[in-house]
Every structure is written in structure tokens, then in C-alpha cells.
Amino acid sequence: MAERTVAVITDSVCGLAGNVAAEFGVYLIPVRVTTPDGTYSDGAGFGPDDAIAAIVAGKKVETAEPQVAAMANAFAECANAGAQSIVCVHVSSELSGTVGAARAAAATSPIPVTVVDTGTTGMAQGYAALAAGAVSLAGGTNAEVARAAEMAAESSQVYFTVDTLDFLRRSGRISGAIATLGSMFKLRPIMGIRNGKVESVDRKRGTDAARSTVRELAERRAGEMVRPAGAVGLVGSEAVPAEFQLSISGPTLESDPPTSLAIHAGPGMYYAAVAQMPQAYFDVLRGSSLASS
């Protein structure tokens, strides 16, 4: 394998499991989760289930971008490990301040940093980071690694739906009146990312119908791709039921939905993401412990 010179960093909003990120050489920086009891690192002893439990208990829970100092430390670690440059692949700047924090930290980095605003979140962002990691492992230049992330992000789509409207109401995504009517008629919204923001795509009566629509939308999008990869996740469940697994021509995996989505969507939130991936991604996947996924 060619010598690697470009480090790849992403934030925990991507939904990548640590072992998956490690296989592709992607460095994960946790976002912060704030509650009245304190501030935590996402995934470090505080995840989606903890956030939901706190909200149900009446506590205000929010996520915040990593501190600039934490980003700067990560850049220094990459430089000390021998990287000649860094590509940061982050959640949409319309949804978080992480891109801004990365750009601020880049000003003091000992090596050049390219910041990619993916314009998305969850595993759509995660796949952009994996694409960058794969191209980096293949010896790609900084420009090639950044472009791989951009192309995967541009091709990607993530859809999700909820099992309860209470969390969308609490987060201000929908009004109390709409939540009441939706609950009364068992209407479940289907949402996606458009222009970097969460927008309503459709609505269905009943959770199963909504989840099926999310899966179908993702499969339809993947059908337009030459080299697709896909992921599904369900908050509060050990495994996604077989009927909600993706059936596409490329590899799929299960990914725990990120804490940021769980806070707004609540238990039972199901999501599916797909992206067009570079050949380097499949080359790395074939030789990894994830090959059977």
C-alpha cells in the first residue's frame, strides 16, 4: 500500500462506530453533550440512550461542537504521528458549529488543514469520512482525499422517521398543535437533508409504514449509483429488524444513530443513509475485518 501522508478527521455526529473508523484510518473527535448535570463527550460514557433518559426526566439536553482547543490538539497529534496534512470531514455547518471550530483551529495547526463541510449528517457524513480515509490509505494527496469526501457527500442522502412526535415538539422542529394532530392520526413524518438542513419529505400513517418509506427512498437513491454503500440505524434497539434492512447492490452496515439525532427524534427513530463510494473504499473494505458486512 502506498505511503499515507494525509490524516482524516471527522466528528461523532457521523455515527461511525470506533472500529469502522479505525479500519479506514479516520480519527473521531467527539462533540459535546450538555445537560444540567454537566458536559460530556459524545460516546464517552454518554450516548443516545443517556440523552433520551435525561430528556424524559425533564432535563434540557443539547449538543455543541468540539472546543477549538480539542481540535487543535487533534491536529497536533496527527502532525506528531507523521501526517503532512489533514482533511477534516464535518457535519453540515447549517446544523452545527463544528466546521467553524475546525477552521479556527486550523489557523494554529503545524500542518495544512482542509475543512470539508459535508452539508449533511449521520452516516451520509460518515461515508464521506470513510471515502476520504480510503483514498488517504491508498496514498492520495490532500486534494484527492478532500475531493473524495466532497463527492461522497454530494452523492449521499439520509432519511429518517420517528416513533413519537414528542421529541420533535420539544426540540422545536414541530409545533405542539401539529404534534397533537400527528399523534391523534398516527402520522409519522419522513425527513431528509436538503441544502444542509433537515426538511420534511413525506408523511405516512403508522411507524412501520414510515420506516418502510425511509428504506424505499434510500434504496431508490442507491439504485441510481454505480458503487453504492448504505447504512441503517434504530435508536433504542440492539438490531434493526430484517424488514428494515437495506437491499442495495453494495455493502451495508448497521450504525447507531448519533446522539444529536436521538435528542431531536427520540426512541424508535429509524434512519437510512446511502452514498456513492470511490473504488478505494471497496479495496479497503475487502481486506478489513468488516468484509462480511
Side-chain angles (χ1 to χ4, degrees), residues 89-139:
V89 184
H90 290 305
V91 59
S92 170
S93 58
E94 295 285 350
L95 302 174
S96 168
T98 302
V99 164
R103 287 174 176 161
T108 61
S109 174
I111 55 178
V113 178
T114 300
V115 180
V116 176
D117 181 349
T118 63
T120 189
T121 187
M123 271 302 297
Q125 171 196 343
Y127 277 125
L130 295 181
V135 172
S136 173
L137 288 174

Side-chain angles (χ1 to χ4, degrees), residues 256-280:
D256 289 337
T259 302
S260 55
L261 276 180
I263 287 172
H264 294 300
M269 186 274 281
Y270 165 78
Y271 90 116
V274 293
Q276 164 92 350
M277 301 298 283
Q279 182 58 46

Side-chain angles (χ1 to χ4, degrees), residues 50-88:
D50 301 296
I52 290 170
I55 293 170
V56 170
K59 299 176 181 179
K60 185 177 182 180
V61 181
E62 297 179 310
T63 54
E65 68 275 8
Q67 293 180 323
V68 173
M71 294 288 233
N73 288 339
F75 296 167
E77 287 180 17
C78 290
N80 291 337
Q84 296 177 17
S85 67
I86 299 168
V87 172
C88 286

